[in-house]
Structures are given as structure tokens and as C-alpha cells.
Amino acid sequence: MSFTFSYFGHSTFGLDIEGTQILVDPYFSDNPLTDQSAGEIKADFILITHGHGDHVGDSVSIARRTGAKVIANFEVANWVSEQGVEVHPQHIGGGFHHPFGYVKMTQAVHGSSLPDGSYGGMPGGFLITTPQGEIIYLSGDTGLFSGMSLIGEEDVYVAALPIGDNFTMGPDDALRAVKMLKPEIVIPTHYNTWELISQDPEAWKDRVEAKTGTQVRILKPDQSMQF
Ligand code: NI
Ligand code: MN
């Protein structure tokens, strides 16, 4: 086993990669699905996919408390940096060897304005390669895009994809995404946070497993899974 994946509901994840704690889009205070507190969660690194409030979330307060370094696109990184947080800016298509693994930013078809209206650059996702060589794809908020088939050439082990519809891919397009990405395992995200994005993940699991070779793992909020 090489990493632990935690789901805190919505699009908030925790990765424990060989003892390094990585939070992704840490949305705790206003997230109705999690009981975790932004004031207690551990973090060594925080990854932010885009500038929307349900993804930047509690990044600044958690980074200030823990000293975690924020990895995000250049514009979001600058915005966070101005609030006294250590950052590592990257951008779409660029990767960097961080202490816990190689992180490449991927495209996403979405928006990225920051909570105060500042320009948040392009939205993105993350392709993380662990020291053991497992590849984790966190798409971020996105519609379906054909470039997912290029990401599918990268031997993705675990993918986390939105299924909520309305703001992101819904179940039909998320199934098409699985066909392009061909991950061993997919975790559905960005659903049932609000009525507007309510979905049945069990129904989606049945469809994906009937039509692809990918296994679906449905994590309850605040549930962790070891890989
Ligand atoms: Ni968004
Ligand atoms: Mn969102």
C-alpha cells in the first residue's frame, strides 16, 4: 500500500502519500457533507484546482495554521501568496517534482474567478505520480473534453471525477470520461452537496462497471480508502 485517499464530500480530498499530508480543494467550513474542521485538519501541502469558493475554501486559514505550501495555478497562487501563505505556482501542462511526488497540472473546461472577483487564471486538474509510480488524476470541476483521451494514455490508476451535473460533467459525460481515461478505479465527486447537484452514485457505479473495465469506489464523506 502506498497512499491513502480520503473524501470529505464535494470535491475535497486528502491524500496521505508516505506520511505527507496533501489536501485538495479544502472546503470544510461551508461544506454540508463533512464533519471535519478546518481548524484541526493536518496539511503539509494544499492543492487548489481553481479559484471558485467551493475549491479555494479554507485554504488560506489552513495554510496559515499549518504552514502548508499551496500548489495552484500562477494566478490563484499569487492571490493566496498575498495573504501570507507559502506557494508553489504551476500552470496547465507543467509538472514539478514535489517531495511527495510529481504533480502535473491538467486542463479543465470551467471557470476560475476567485471569491473576491479577482482573476483566477485557467481552471485545472492535477495528475499526481506517487513515488511508487501510481498515477492519480483529480480532474477538478470540468465538462467533458477530448483531451481526456491524452490523459488516458498515462496509465491512470485512480481518477476522481465530478458526476453532479449542472456545474460540471453529469453522469452521462462522466461515463464517457471514464471510457477515455481508462482508470483502474474511479471515485465520483462533486454531487449531493446541494439539491442542484443531487445524483445517485450507486446507479452510476452500475452503469460504469457494466460498460467499462473500471471499478467504481463510492466513498462516503469523511471516509478513507487505502491503495
Ligand atoms: Ni468550480
Ligand atoms: Mn465546484
Side-chain angles (χ1 to χ4, degrees), residues 51 72-82 89-91 112 114 118-123:
N73 78 24
F74 179 78
E75 292 82 1
V76 171
N78 278 350
W79 187 82
V80 169
S81 174
E82 284 165 7
Q90 293 188 205
H91 232 301
S112 184
L114 284 152
S118 298
Y119 176 63
M122 297 291 283

Side-chain angles (χ1 to χ4, degrees), residues 147-156 177 179-183:
M148 285 182 180
S149 54
L150 294 177
I151 298 170
E153 294 172 1
E154 299 222 26
D155 202 16
V156 176
K179 289 176 180 172
M180 285 194 272
L181 293 163
K182 300 184 293 287

Side-chain angles (χ1 to χ4, degrees), residues 10-11 25 49-50 52-55 110 140-141 167-168 190 194 197:
H10 200 55
S11 197
D25 290 351
T49 59
H50 65 290
H52 291 166
D54 56 321
H55 297 260
H110 194 65
D141 285 5
F167 296 117
T168 66
H190 214 276
W194 314 293
I197 56 172

Side-chain angles (χ1 to χ4, degrees), residues 165-201:
D165 220 346
N166 194 73
F167 296 117
T168 66
M169 292 189 289
D172 293 350
D173 280 352
L175 169 58
R176 296 169 72 191
V178 171
K179 289 176 180 172
M180 285 194 272
L181 293 163
K182 300 184 293 287
E184 280 189 40
I185 295 164
V186 66
I187 298 168
T189 69
H190 214 276
Y191 66 94
N192 292 354
T193 319
W194 314 293
E195 184 62 31
L196 198 54
I197 56 172
S198 69
Q199 295 294 339
D200 177 357

Side-chain angles (χ1 to χ4, degrees), residues 54-124:
D54 56 321
H55 297 260
V56 170
D58 302 292
S59 295
V60 170
S61 70
I62 295 170
R64 281 180 177 157
R65 176 176 57 78
T66 61
K69 182 185 283 186
V70 170
I71 300 168
N73 78 24
F74 179 78
E75 292 82 1
V76 171
N78 278 350
W79 187 82
V80 169
S81 174
E82 284 165 7
Q83 299 176 68
V85 167
E86 193 186 356
V87 298
H88 180 108
Q90 293 188 205
H91 232 301
I92 312 296
F96 186 82
H97 287 281
H98 294 281
F100 60 88
Y102 183 73
V103 178
K104 185 161 75 173
M105 280 204 80
T106 56
Q107 75 172 118
V109 180
H110 194 65
S112 184
S113 55
L114 284 152
D116 64 0
S118 298
Y119 176 63
M122 297 291 283

